[in-house]
Amino acid sequence: LATGPRQNNGIFYEIRTYDIKPAKMKEFLEMINKYLHIRTAHSELVGFWYSELGAMNKVLHVWKYDNFAHRTAVRHALANDKEWQGKLISAILPLVEKQHNEVAYLVPWCQLGKPPKEGGVYEWVTFQMKPGGPALWGEAFRAAINAHINTGYTRLIGVFHTEYGLLNTVHVLWWNESPDHRAAGRHSAHEDARVVAAVRDSVRFLESQQNVLLIPLQCSPLK
């Protein structure tokens, strides 16, 4: 009952979240920007961000895999990549306090998108839903997402639901021109009867929600 229907292929996304030692964040980001090309030679990076609001001293990165055999092959190759192990892993591990990963699929009605331009900010919204997966809450949740899209103030990048990690979790990634543009849009949305009605319907399935404002790294494909 955890996932319900999903896309008809094996593609999934690994979401990795690291807690960085507060005094070491600048050093960590510099190392990532300098050497991440070694890692992206092995598999596709969707995006790499650091938290600005809603969480402190965290980085979040999302990787795309064709299937689980693909991920296994990539992890094996990385373990034997002396340049990767020597230049980055050995340097950044002492800077990291905690690591967390999830495997997630795009919901069936969502394609991974891109922002209209570079230079904006991203919002990572995590919803803990009641058990049942998209088969249960998918249509109501989709209506709430579309209601926000239709206001025009924000751009949807992706909607992911977990397969490994805390189940019945949905992550929604949005792009906005700026935090102030996002704030103005949210105020308008709260006064939109269509948004209010859709949200009221979808929260029947909601247990909790957390929002984090993310800033993309220079090396991130999504900027």
Side-chain angles (χ1 to χ4, degrees):
L1 293 176
T3 56
R6 59 174 181 258
Q7 73 276 7
N8 295 319
N9 55 49
I11 293 173
F12 66 85
Y13 299 84
E14 183 175 6
I15 302 164
R16 300 179 71 93
T17 306
Y18 298 169
D19 288 11
I20 309 303
K21 295 178 181 179
K24 298 297 184 178
M25 178 62 86
K26 182 175 183 293
E27 180 181 352
F28 179 90
L29 297 181
E30 288 175 348
M31 294 292 294
I32 293 295
N33 276 318
K34 185 176 181 180
Y35 291 119
L36 194 66
H37 66 278
I38 304 171
R39 172 63 182 83
T40 55
H42 290 275
S43 65
E44 181 179 348
L45 173 67
V46 174
F48 205 120
W49 304 266
Y50 66 89
S51 61
E52 179 71 11
L53 296 171
M56 296 292 290
N57 304 303
K58 288 183 181 290
V59 297
L60 185 146
H61 37 127
V62 179
W63 299 85
K64 180 180 178 181
Y65 293 101
D66 296 334
N67 48 48
F68 288 98
H70 179 210
R71 181 185 184 276
T72 298
V74 169
R75 301 302 297 178
H76 179 76
L78 287 170
N80 291 281
D81 187 326
K82 294 182 180 179
E83 187 178 25
W84 169 248
Q85 295 291 334
K87 287 186 176 179
L88 191 60
I89 293 299
S90 61
I92 67 169
L93 283 183
L95 314 181
V96 177
E97 288 190 329
K98 185 169 62 175
Q99 295 176 302
H100 175 71
N101 76 329
E102 300 168 281
V103 166
Y105 294 98
L106 286 171
V107 294
W109 40 266
C110 175
Q111 299 293 322
L112 192 64
K114 293 183 178 180
K117 60 182 180 180
E118 294 183 3
V121 296
Y122 291 79
E123 184 178 9
W124 184 261
V125 188
T126 299
F127 299 91
Q128 187 60 40
M129 308 299 291
K130 293 180 179 178
L136 174 67
W137 46 256
E139 289 306 312
F141 195 86
R142 180 180 186 179
I145 294 295
N146 285 336
H148 284 87
I149 293 172
N150 291 337
T151 63
Y153 79 89
T154 188
R155 174 68 66 96
L156 178 66
I157 303 300
V159 181
F160 309 86
H161 66 96
T162 55
E163 180 76 5
Y164 288 98
L166 184 60
L167 295 185
N168 304 299
T169 302
V170 186
H171 301 290
V172 182
L173 181 61
W174 300 95
W175 177 90
N176 289 282
E177 291 186 13
S178 69
D180 286 322
H181 186 265
R182 182 259 184 198
R186 292 284 292 176
H187 287 309
S188 297
H190 292 162
E191 298 175 354
D192 189 314
R194 297 166 299 176
V195 174
V196 173
V199 170
R200 282 178 176 170
D201 187 44
S202 67
V203 295
R204 296 180 294 127
F205 306 106
L206 179 65
E207 294 187 345
S208 65
Q209 175 181 340
Q210 182 181 15
N211 296 30
V212 180
L213 185 71
L214 299 174
I215 307 297
L217 273 66
Q218 180 182 353
C219 63
S220 176
L222 287 177
K223 293 186 176 64

